[in-house]
Amino acid sequence: MLEDAAPSPPVIPLPHRVETGIGQWPAPALVVEERLIEGMPTEAYRLTVADGRAVVEASDARGLRHARATLDELADAADGRVPAVRIEDAPVLRHRGIIEGFYGEPWSHEERLAALALAGRLKLNSYVYAPKDDPWHRERWREPYPPTELAQLVELAAAGAAVGVDVTVALHPAGSMVFSDDAEHELLAAKAEQLMDAGIPAIALLFDDVPQQPRHAADRERFGEGDAALGAAHAETVRRFADRVLRRRRPGADLLVVPTDYAGTAASPYRSAFAAGLPDEALVWWTGRDIVVGEVTRGDIDAAAEVFGDRLLLWDNFPVNDFDRGRAFLGPLLGRTPDVAGSGLRGAWSNPMVEFWPGCFGIAAFADWAWNPGAYDPMRAAAASLRIVAGEGAAALAPLVRTLSSWPPSAAMDADLAAAADEALDGRGDDHLRSRLEELVGLAEVAGSVEVEVGVGIG
């Protein structure tokens, strides 16, 4: 009988069921046997390490990759040696990923490739390309992607496929589209077909951050006035896209969409009209009870699922910092319910920081929660994230990460440092404050090599 237990030292994502034994072997010396087994859940795997052998049974190719990632993670956490262990594992959420959906300077192509490598290591299975400041994503959505930009997206898709991560390119026509115009729908379809023909696996449709009523006279005449009219117009766009593009080129695939009214848990005229008109393929991103939230509860999920149906996705605005460019949120993720199994939530994505490398700490912790919410431990996730992202620089960077680990944004940036300052100001002694400040002063010695160290950790 397997027992629920965390391996030591900490690894992420934490497997669901772990039984440890006696013995350990250098990872390169392990003889690895792999086989696919029918009847296991999607992305599931079983891993047994004993007597210098690692036996992997998995449901599919992703399950095999996850087992290899677990072997690598066990070795990385124990100086290259893999302990005797038996693991049974599978994700709770079907979709788990990173969405580059922030405002501000988009990530570089090299950073996106690094994000895909990290996602594969963390058992995430999706990366969504949706930078608000890419003109061909939003303002110039009618125009085909230029050859150079298209080639980079295709390279991302190939890199993602190599590590089991689906690359989705999001299109955002909502700011200017005339929803009653057939020609506009043809342009949207043509843009998507250009991407799919080039090798992009999936397209998402975004309708966020636009006025919540029809802007064009033709749309008002066709759909009416107000929030419900806009919801109906957006739903019809999704429905026509699914019929014109998705069912012909990716039959059976999901279509990820963001409504305009994406934050909150109660019904609204827009949400009700939007949900009522969606095709069966559509899954709906939602940010929680507000846009940036300190807490997502099971009650929040259930209430939102009552509105949107049993196809809810969490667009988690953690650790994004586009709303406060003077802040960095280095994790771990806090305030997310462990009670996800059996809910209407089908997936979750982290919307990360504008600064890619520092944002990886939060992404790693998020991945731990998304894989196994019921066993998520923020302290374990923080320790493992530091090791994974910072690599050999973990000890040197630990004081900085600790100082910038507050969440939600309203929380004190570093509660412990604030308490130490209060102690000194109140005359209760300054030893605690001096100790913390000495840690921070020591960061000057590694300031010039932070990115290099982080890069080594991911590679």
Side-chain angles (χ1 to χ4, degrees):
M1 182 74 176
L2 296 178
E3 297 179 355
D4 296 316
S8 181
V11 298
I12 57 174
L14 180 69
H16 278 75
R17 299 173 71 81
V18 179
E19 184 180 66
T20 56
I22 299 173
Q24 54 180 336
W25 298 270
L30 278 178
V31 177
V32 181
E33 301 174 8
E34 297 181 340
R35 52 181 175 263
L36 296 177
I37 303 294
E38 293 184 0
M40 296 178 70
T42 301
E43 298 189 56
Y45 69 93
R46 289 192 290 263
L47 170 65
T48 302
V49 179
D51 300 325
R53 306 177 72 85
V55 177
V56 175
E57 298 175 325
S59 59
D60 48 32
R62 275 207 178 116
L64 291 175
R65 288 192 187 96
H66 296 333
R68 295 181 206 125
T70 298
L71 280 171
D72 290 343
E73 175 68 355
L74 289 168
D76 188 69
D79 296 324
R81 301 181 70 83
V82 179
V85 68
R86 187 180 175 203
I87 292 173
E88 291 185 2
D89 205 9
V92 169
L93 292 175
R94 177 181 172 187
H95 302 282
R96 309 167 308 282
I98 301 166
I99 181 161
E100 186 185 341
F102 49 77
Y103 291 89
E105 183 178 357
W107 287 345
S108 69
H109 186 61
E110 291 71 24
E111 288 169 338
R112 292 181 183 122
L113 290 171
L116 290 168
L118 178 63
R121 176 174 181 174
L122 295 170
K123 302 186 178 73
L124 298 173
N125 60 16
S126 172
Y127 161 79
V128 180
Y129 175 90
K132 294 293 196 291
D133 287 0
D134 170 9
W136 289 277
H137 164 67
R138 278 167 64 97
E139 288 83 0
R140 302 174 70 174
W141 65 268
R142 296 176 180 85
E143 303 174 38
Y145 266 96
T148 299
E149 286 75 6
L150 180 62
Q152 289 188 336
L153 292 175
V154 171
E155 185 180 353
L156 291 179
V163 294
V165 179
D166 291 331
V167 171
T168 297
V169 175
L171 300 177
H172 193 302
S176 60
M177 186 174 184
V178 181
F179 301 105
S180 56
D181 187 344
D182 290 343
E184 296 276 76
H185 290 274
E186 287 301 313
L187 287 171
L188 182 60
K191 179 71 166 275
E193 288 166 348
Q194 179 214 20
L195 292 163
M196 288 181 164
D197 288 345
I200 303 303
I203 307 296
L205 296 180
L206 310 190
F207 302 92
D208 56 314
D209 299 344
V210 296
Q212 205 158 295
Q213 8 183 311
R215 300 176 61 185
H216 303 285
D219 288 343
R220 292 192 293 273
E221 182 177 348
R222 167 75 181 277
F223 298 103
E225 303 273 356
D227 296 7
L230 189 68
H234 289 171
E236 180 174 302
T237 301
V238 176
R239 193 167 60 250
R240 291 181 64 165
F241 184 88
D243 185 57
R244 169 72 170 75
V245 178
L246 192 68
R247 292 170 189 166
R248 297 182 186 181
R249 293 173 178 266
R250 302 288 190 274
D254 295 325
L255 177 57
L256 312 180
V257 300
V258 177
T260 300
D261 195 3
Y262 55 76
T265 58
S268 72
Y270 174 93
R271 292 177 196 159
S272 297
F274 183 75
L278 289 176
D280 292 341
E281 297 93 336
L283 300 178
V284 181
W285 269 307
W286 156 85
T287 62
R289 68 183 71 164
D290 207 339
I291 298 172
V292 179
V293 294
E295 185 178 41
V296 177
T297 69
R298 176 61 183 260
D300 294 337
I301 294 169
D302 291 345
E306 284 289 322
V307 177
F308 290 117
D310 192 26
R311 52 179 168 202
L312 196 64
L313 307 172
L314 178 63
W315 175 311
D316 201 329
N317 279 318
F318 168 87
V320 71
N321 65 339
D322 58 359
F323 58 90
D324 188 348
R325 300 294 290 108
R327 296 287 300 275
F329 304 105
L330 306 189
L333 179 66
L334 300 172
R336 302 300 180 260
T337 180
D339 186 17
V340 170
S343 73
L345 192 66
R346 295 287 166 261
W349 281 255
S350 167
N351 185 21
M353 286 170 51
V354 179
E355 296 81 14
F356 170 71
W357 294 113
C360 290
F361 294 103
I363 292 171
F366 172 87
D368 191 24
W369 173 80
W371 179 269
N372 186 1
Y376 177 70
D377 178 348
M379 296 305 293
R380 184 198 67 242
S385 298
L386 181 64
R387 171 179 53 79
I388 288 172
V389 177
E392 295 179 0
L397 286 174
L400 177 63
V401 174
R402 177 184 179 187
T403 300
L404 300 176
S405 290
S406 63
W407 189 261
S410 58
M413 187 174 293
D414 184 334
D416 181 74
L417 183 59
D422 288 341
E423 290 173 6
L425 292 171
D426 292 345
R428 289 177 284 156
D430 59 6
D431 290 348
H432 186 188
L433 179 60
R434 287 181 181 277
S435 175
R436 289 302 311 278
L437 293 179
E438 286 171 1
E439 288 180 342
L440 296 175
V441 168
L443 289 169
E445 299 178 7
V446 296
S449 60
V450 168
E451 185 169 320
V452 174
E453 292 293 339
V454 174
V456 168
I458 292 178

